Amino acid sequence: MGLFSNLFGNGGKDIDDAFNKMKNLADDLSSVKYADEDEKRIINRQNSESADNSGSGYSAEVTGPSGDSWGPVMPDEPNQFNSGLSYKDYFSNVYAEAFPAYQINKEEYSNRRGTVFTFSQDGVKKLVVEVASTSTYHCKLADECNRTGIPHLRFYYDYDGWWNTESYVIRRTSAALGI
């Protein structure tokens, strides 16, 4: 018998069961495997922001190979926010210059809260990149890419403190293309 069953008899059994399910879920979440370091950092940052009353969400412990593209101070490097361009034009320009061997199709989401860049070579789809708002939850495209074996990336154009520096965008995109 659990605590609530002891206090409320059989009426507390449902509460004990719910509590145990939540505890098991929390234990399962603590052993989550991440797709890559970027996903791990995003999820951990979101979790720390939720627990942080100051709202800053920044941690001196945030490090890694992509540390040049996030933080409270804009990096002294070309990025989405100092380019003077819309995020769509910024990504279009970076991709056109860095990946001339690929045909890159740009398509707007129907709800206008994101853009999809599809990289092809010799008529074969090689990569799908979503540039989306943090307020929009997109799973359908990522699931479709996963089912068909096409690499998929997601960048956020409105995530506070994420600068989408040119080197970061090129590095992640190159890795996903396997070049």
Side-chain angles (χ1 to χ4, degrees):
M1 278 198 152
L3 172 67
F4 293 103
S5 296
N6 287 337
L7 292 174
F8 303 110
N10 284 340
K13 184 178 182 325
D14 292 337
I15 297 171
D16 279 330
D17 290 342
F19 178 81
N20 287 332
K21 285 180 184 177
M22 289 189 319
K23 183 181 179 307
N24 290 339
L25 178 61
D27 290 342
D28 290 343
L29 289 174
S30 68
S31 63
V32 168
K33 300 290 186 238
Y34 301 98
D36 60 19
E37 284 301 310
D38 289 323
E39 181 184 20
K40 181 178 180 179
R41 189 183 61 259
I42 290 167
I43 291 169
N44 288 339
R45 179 170 179 217
Q46 288 170 343
N47 289 342
S48 70
E49 283 180 352
S50 297
D52 182 9
N53 290 333
S54 72
S56 72
Y58 296 110
S59 168
E61 300 170 342
V62 177
T63 59
S66 301
D68 57 340
S69 195
W70 72 82
V73 178
M74 182 185 296
D76 187 24
E77 175 186 348
N79 66 69
Q80 174 188 332
F81 298 95
N82 67 11
S83 69
L85 301 171
S86 69
Y87 79 87
K88 298 169 199 172
D89 291 337
Y90 170 76
F91 276 87
S92 293
N93 288 353
V94 169
Y95 285 152
E97 289 176 26
F99 303 100
Y102 294 87
Q103 296 78 48
I104 303 169
N105 181 44
K106 179 172 79 170
E107 184 179 342
E108 301 292 322
Y109 282 132
S110 60
N111 62 9
R112 300 276 188 203
R113 294 177 65 173
T115 304
V116 177
F117 294 89
T118 304
F119 288 66
S120 299
Q121 198 171 45
D122 300 324
V124 178
K125 197 182 287 189
K126 299 289 187 174
L127 172 66
V128 175
V129 178
E130 287 181 277
V131 183
S133 169
T134 56
S135 64
T136 305
Y137 184 73
H138 302 281
C139 262
K140 185 177 177 184
L141 184 58
D143 290 344
E144 180 183 320
C145 289
N146 193 35
R147 271 194 320 277
T148 59
I150 298 169
H152 172 267
L153 284 179
R154 183 176 295 139
F155 293 93
Y156 293 104
Y157 65 80
D158 60 353
Y159 201 106
D160 186 40
W162 284 66
W163 304 104
N164 290 325
T165 59
E166 191 173 296
S167 64
Y168 173 72
V169 171
I170 292 169
R171 183 172 55 248
R172 282 192 66 207
T173 304
S174 294
L177 287 167
I179 55 176

